[in-house]
Amino acid sequence: MRLRYAAFETFIDKFGPNVTRGGLFLASRTPRPVGDVFAFEVQLAGGEVALAGDGKVTWVREFDPAAPNKPHGMGVQFLRLDTPSREIGNQMLARMGSSNYSG
């Protein structure tokens, strides 16, 4: 998944609401099925990796053509995050006033 954010600071500010201590929301018109375990990588516009690890789909919100602006995608539980991703996740949670991610 590649995002349009050019800098980590912008990514942290804008994507932060999609991240919790236990997982993240990934927007997708074709989400994976609930229970699917997969490796993920969220990249910035320039190709820098912002978040990477392994996750499990815990819920899905299908795309609704009648409401195309409504969020659609999948909730992904973190099973593993690499060390740089944990640090970035902690920065996001700190801005949101949440506890640090420890996984």
Side-chain angles (χ1 to χ4, degrees), residues 1 3 11 15-27 38 40-43 50-59 73-81 85 89 92-93 101:
M1 171 181 203
L3 301 174
F11 167 75
F15 195 76
N18 292 328
V19 178
T20 68
R21 191 167 36 110
L24 76 157
F25 172 73
L26 291 176
F38 65 102
F40 66 87
E41 186 174 88
V42 178
Q43 298 179 358
L51 294 173
D54 298 315
K56 178 180 180 180
V57 178
T58 57
W59 55 268
M74 56 191 158
V76 178
Q77 175 188 1
F78 295 136
L79 299 178
R80 181 195 62 81
L81 281 178
S85 296
M92 294 173 135
L93 294 172
Y101 173 76

Side-chain angles (χ1 to χ4, degrees), residues 65-103:
N69 293 327
K70 202 171 184 180
H72 48 276
M74 56 191 158
V76 178
Q77 175 188 1
F78 295 136
L79 299 178
R80 181 195 62 81
L81 281 178
D82 64 17
T83 300
S85 296
R86 278 196 299 272
E87 293 171 14
I88 292 168
N90 286 337
Q91 290 177 35
M92 294 173 135
L93 294 172
R95 295 226 180 143
M96 301 294 292
S98 300
S99 300
N100 285 352
Y101 173 76
S102 59

